Amino acid sequence: LATALAHADAGDTVYVGAGTYTAAGEEVVRLEKPVTLLGGWNGAPSGAVVRDHVVWGSLLDGQNARRVVLVTGRAAAPTIDGLTVTRGNATSLTGGCGPNSPAGCGGGILVYDAGATITDCHISGNTAVTATTDPVQAASGGGVSVSYGHGVVIRDSTISGNTASTVGVGIAGA
């Protein structure tokens, strides 16, 4: 997935087949350009594109070790559609997410100084912060955090069972 996104140009569409996608860096997916990321693809190498995010689930998994999706950069305005975003953990990943630079923002998805359209996604089981040395350090957006957003739209998606902080101050777990 990271390779496909690295080769995608602005305006391209990347189809994500059924399966679980992980990574080893700070996030599973980094979107810095206006691409369309569509989950639930049946994976057929030819013919018409067939998508059903229930039948061919595409799961982005942070493995409780990293943020799942980072959307950043004013040129970014991606579409994220038909994906499951789970087990994100943004502990110590500021990403420049707020004026107080909290220890973690957007365990599932962080949109920072960018736009995005998020449609038909299931965002659950994510945490902004699980550890901190400062018990009053704020964390925000266990599932989704938007900071300095430019036209962010979230529709027909489920955002539930997320936690802003398991320690300290948590804002907007959703």
Side-chain angles (χ1 to χ4, degrees):
L1 181 57
T3 301
L5 288 169
H7 287 73
D9 291 323
D12 283 353
T13 298
V14 175
Y15 293 94
V16 183
T20 300
Y21 298 83
T22 62
E26 290 188 354
E27 61 273 325
V28 177
V29 172
R30 180 188 222 35
L31 298 171
E32 298 177 294
K33 52 193 164 190
V35 296
T36 299
L37 189 60
L38 300 176
W41 176 45
N42 71 349
S46 62
V49 173
V50 178
R51 291 179 57 233
D52 184 324
H53 66 277
V54 175
V55 175
W56 299 291
S58 305
L59 190 136
L60 304 180
D61 184 351
Q63 300 172 298
N64 293 316
R66 65 197 46 81
R67 179 178 290 124
V68 182
V69 178
L70 173 62
V71 179
T72 187
R74 286 189 176 255
T79 296
I80 303 165
D81 184 297
L83 295 164
T84 296
V85 175
T86 191
R87 296 196 323 150
N89 180 347
T91 298
S92 299
L93 299 177
T94 61
C97 52
N100 298 325
S101 295
C105 297
I109 299 173
L110 171 61
V111 179
Y112 177 74
D113 196 23
T117 299
I118 301 166
T119 306
D120 282 330
C121 289
H122 181 74
I123 304 162
S124 67
N126 300 287
T127 305
V129 172
T130 59
T132 182
T133 57
D134 182 353
V136 297
Q137 183 72 51
S140 68
V144 178
S145 181
V146 177
S147 185
Y148 307 105
H150 310 286
V152 175
V153 175
I154 302 172
R155 67 173 167 249
D156 300 326
S157 296
T158 302
I159 305 171
S160 65
N162 299 289
T163 304
S165 179
T166 59
V167 296
V169 178
I171 303 164

